[in-house]
């Protein structure tokens, strides 16, 4: 299922596609309300042992991620099952009077440029205590779902005057322009005139924001 097909699916207006899959944030007024939403999600017919959402429960809301892993892709895929589960989760949230807030969604990933990924990746995997993402060896992830993923990018030749590690930050498209403006106002710089989403701090440390 392409990103365009997912976004055109019925009932997914609460969801944003951010690198690792579809993501939504549902704003609550208490831990107990968040827990009720989690229970409602667990009871949905689209949830089973083969297809489960990744949920993060906080006193002020619940973040839900739906991901279909496709080996070899930088961006993970989105399945018809993801779209249906997204719709069911949004319906369950509305039934509980819990609103979605797409402005609270984002995904952070650390990208490492490597001349030899097989030589570099084991170091980071062991240092972080991470594991390979399911069904792919392109990146390593926190099995507890807390820390950012680390993605390894093949570097054909050393790049002078550029850091070998940068942070990728995915935000909803309608939030990107304002976030970039805030970064520039805080002392950031555009690092590449041809790619306006590549920004750096005053010392040249880069992020890709969009």
């Amino acid at each position: 299922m392409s990103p365009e097909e997912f976004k055109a699916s019925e009932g997914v207006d609460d969801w944003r596609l951010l690198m690792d899959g579809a993501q939504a944030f549902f704003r609550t007024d208490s831990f107990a309300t968040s827990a009720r939403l989690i229970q409602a999600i667990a009871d949905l017919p689209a949830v089973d042992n083969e297809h489960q959402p990744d949920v993060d429960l906080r006193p002020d809301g619940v973040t839900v991620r739906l991901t279909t892993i496709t080996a070899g892709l930088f961006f993970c895929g989105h399945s018809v099952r993801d779209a249906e589960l997204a719709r069911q989760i949004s319906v369950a949230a509305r039934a509980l009077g819990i609103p979605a807030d797409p402005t609270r969604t984002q995904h952070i990933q650390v990208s490492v440029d490597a001349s030899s990924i097989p030589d570099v990746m084991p170091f980071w995997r062991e240092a972080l205590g991470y594991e390979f993402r399911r069904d792919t060896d392109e990146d390593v992830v926190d099995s507890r779902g807390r820390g950012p993923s680390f993605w390894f990018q093949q570097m054909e030749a050393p790049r002078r005057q550029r850091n070998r590690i940068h942070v990728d930050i995915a935000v909803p498209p309608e939030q990107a322009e304002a976030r970039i403006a805030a970064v520039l106002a805080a002392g950031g710089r555009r690092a590449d005139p041809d790619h306006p989403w590549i920004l750096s701090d005053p010392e040249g440390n880069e992020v890709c924001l969009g």
Side-chain angles (χ1 to χ4, degrees):
M1 194 177 199
S2 70
E4 291 72 22
E5 290 172 326
F6 182 95
K7 288 184 283 189
S9 299
E10 182 180 357
V12 300
D13 293 344
D14 297 337
W15 299 78
R16 299 294 183 268
L17 300 182
L18 303 176
M19 288 191 191
D20 65 341
Q23 185 180 137
F25 178 84
F26 298 96
R27 190 173 64 251
T28 64
D29 56 6
S30 69
F31 185 91
T33 302
S34 295
R36 283 196 291 274
L37 176 58
I38 297 297
Q39 184 60 59
I41 293 172
D43 293 337
L44 292 174
V47 175
D48 56 37
N49 290 335
E50 299 300 322
H51 195 230
Q52 300 174 354
D54 174 19
V55 297
D56 186 88
L57 185 157
R58 304 288 169 153
D60 65 341
V62 176
T63 299
V64 186
R65 300 177 184 87
L66 305 175
T67 304
T68 296
I69 302 297
T70 302
L73 291 183
F74 174 52
F75 293 94
C76 298
H78 318 287
S79 69
V80 173
R81 293 187 71 185
D82 291 331
E84 174 57 21
L85 181 52
R87 184 190 68 79
Q88 291 185 18
I89 291 172
S90 289
V91 169
R94 285 196 294 273
L96 293 170
I98 299 173
D101 184 357
T103 67
R104 295 285 300 276
T105 60
Q106 72 172 12
H107 178 77
I108 297 176
Q109 170 181 276
V110 177
S111 295
V112 180
D113 292 342
S115 299
S116 174
I117 293 175
D119 291 339
V120 171
M121 185 185 288
F123 169 89
W124 289 100
R125 183 185 178 200
E126 296 302 327
L128 295 164
Y130 277 20
E131 61 185 32
F132 288 117
R133 189 190 294 272
R134 188 180 71 253
D135 299 329
T136 180
D137 59 2
E138 294 293 321
D139 53 4
V140 294
V141 296
D142 183 352
S143 61
R144 296 162 295 180
R146 304 289 288 177
S149 59
F150 271 60
W151 182 70
F152 297 85
Q153 177 172 271
Q154 182 63 50
M155 185 173 60
E156 299 303 326
R159 298 172 182 171
R160 294 185 177 182
Q161 296 183 349
R162 178 178 177 183
N163 289 344
R164 298 278 291 275
I165 296 176
H166 69 273
V167 179
D168 294 319
I169 305 170
V171 299
E174 65 270 24
Q175 300 293 318
E177 185 175 344
R179 180 74 69 91
I180 289 173
V183 169
L184 295 174
R189 303 170 181 172
R190 295 193 185 275
D192 186 336
D194 295 324
H195 301 92
W197 61 87
I198 301 178
L199 309 171
S200 72
D201 68 16
E203 295 187 359
N205 302 298
E206 293 181 1
V207 300
C208 290
L209 175 58

